[in-house]
């Protein structure tokens, strides 16, 4: 069982240099780039991206996926402005040589039935896929609480309606939505491009991979059996710069349950924990 490892290294440190160090000391090959030097990915300039791409290359690292916030907006928000941000992130993907971009299917108004927004969501997902095609980048939809594609059945609707969009499967997010992860895998496995490694308890609290109800070891085994190669670590065991911007207002369920002396220690713990899971499955 041979994997390549990617990570949201901004959880180890906000400075880009700290993220490079985190990947190297944990022997991870790839970065899923999200927040850099305290900036959201959408605010990073193209000259900055070129400089960072050079640093990664000098250190034998590369970007697996653009960990963008695209689609993490209210469904009735500024769509045209969001598309400008999307194209900017795709321009950066070209600079980094990244072939994937993770995106979302829009926050639903609280208390409203998501199905009434189905047509609008699908129209926009078609637009995402069509634009990405011109860049040679694969759109990967992440299941996320509060968005249209929060549970497996609605994720499946997206992949069936827009087959160019693949899935990045996040076990913890499904647990936080009350969705059984093994049932979700049965529905979505044929659409999965890669996995996020994150785990959670039924009350929503995040825990180290393999210590929650996400069935992480079993899912990794199933992923490997169908030829999956890349595991992208997103531990969420401590607060980090940019976390609040990723969630709906008032949501604290992403905060971990264990105390660590530093963000670096939390990241390293999760990274090593993932290695142990893979070794035990071998």
């Amino acid at each position: 069982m041979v994997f390549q490892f990617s990570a949201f290294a901004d959880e180890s440190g906000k400075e880009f240099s700290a993220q490079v160090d985190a990947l190297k000391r944990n022997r991870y090959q790839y970065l899923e780039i999200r927040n850099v030097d305290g900036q959201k990915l959408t605010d990073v300039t193209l000259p900055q991206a070129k400089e960072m791409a050079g640093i990664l290359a000098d250190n034998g690292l590369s970007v697996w996926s653009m960990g963008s916030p695209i689609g993490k907006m209210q469904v009735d928000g500024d769509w045209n402005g969001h598309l400008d941000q999307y194209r900017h992130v795709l321009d950066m993907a070209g600079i980094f040589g990244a072939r994937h971009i993770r995106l979302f299917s829009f926050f639903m108004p609280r208390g409203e039935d998501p199905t009434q927004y189905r047509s609008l969501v699908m129209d926009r997902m078609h637009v995402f896929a069509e634009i990405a095609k011109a860049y040679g980048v694969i759109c990967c939809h992440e299941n996320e609480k509060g968005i249209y594609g929060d549970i497996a059945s609605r994720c499946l609707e997206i992949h069936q309606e827009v087959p160019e969009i693949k899935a990045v499967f996040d076990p913890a997010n499904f647990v936080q939505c009350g969705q059984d992860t093994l049932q979700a895998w049965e529905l979505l496995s044929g659409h999965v491009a890669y996995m996020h490694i994150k785990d959670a308890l039924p009350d929503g609290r995040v825990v180290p991979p393999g210590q929650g109800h996400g069935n992480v070891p079993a899912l990794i085994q199933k992923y490997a059996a169908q030829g999956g190669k890349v595991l992208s670590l997103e531990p969420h065991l401590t607060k980090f710069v940019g976390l609040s911007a990723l969630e709906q207002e008032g949501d604290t369920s992403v905060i971990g349950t264990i105390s660590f002396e530093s963000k670096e220690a939390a990241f390293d713990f999760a990274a090593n924990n993932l290695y142990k899971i893979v070794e035990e499955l071998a």
Side-chain angles (χ1 to χ4, degrees), residues 41-103:
L41 185 59
T42 49
D43 293 332
V44 173
T45 67
L46 297 186
Q48 285 176 311
K50 290 176 182 177
E51 181 179 355
M52 289 186 287
I55 293 170
L56 289 172
D58 290 344
N59 284 276
L61 302 168
S62 55
V63 173
W64 166 254
S65 180
M66 307 300 287
S68 82
I70 297 301
K72 240 183 186 185
M73 59 172 283
Q74 294 298 325
V75 70
D76 56 356
D78 179 11
W79 172 235
N80 290 328
H82 207 61
L83 282 181
D84 290 340
Q85 291 183 328
Y86 181 49
R87 292 187 178 93
H88 176 65
V89 175
L90 289 170
D91 284 334
M92 283 193 288
I95 292 170
F96 285 116
R99 294 194 60 247
H100 304 82
I101 179 171
R102 70 94 184 247
L103 43 73

Side-chain angles (χ1 to χ4, degrees), residues 114-180:
T115 60
Q116 67 181 305
Y117 295 97
R118 184 186 189 283
S119 179
L120 178 59
V121 168
M122 297 304 169
D123 287 347
R124 290 181 174 181
M125 301 308 282
H126 273 294
V127 171
F128 282 155
E130 190 63 28
I131 292 174
K133 190 184 304 182
Y135 287 82
V137 174
I138 300 168
C139 295
C140 298
H141 174 266
E142 179 181 346
N143 55 285
E144 169 71 69
K145 55 193 175 299
I147 64 173
Y148 185 86
D150 56 354
I151 58 174
S153 59
R154 286 197 290 268
C155 290
L156 183 61
E157 289 177 20
I158 291 170
H159 300 305
Q160 290 177 332
E161 176 79 18
V162 194
E164 302 94 327
I165 293 181
K166 304 305 179 183
V168 50
F169 192 100
D170 190 305
N173 290 350
F174 275 134
V175 171
Q176 291 174 337
C177 293
Q179 169 74 65
D180 180 270

Side-chain angles (χ1 to χ4, degrees), residues 181-194:
T181 60
L182 295 178
Q183 291 177 357
W185 184 265
E186 291 305 309
L187 283 178
L188 302 174
S189 61
H191 303 280
V192 173
Y194 68 105

Side-chain angles (χ1 to χ4, degrees), residues 5 16 19-25 27-31 52-64 96:
F5 296 91
F16 188 66
Q19 296 176 30
V20 170
D21 289 345
L23 294 173
K24 291 180 70 176
R25 71 174 178 265
R27 309 182 313 281
Y28 276 38
Q29 303 98 321
Y30 293 115
L31 172 67
M52 289 186 287
I55 293 170
L56 289 172
D58 290 344
N59 284 276
L61 302 168
S62 55
V63 173
W64 166 254
F96 285 116

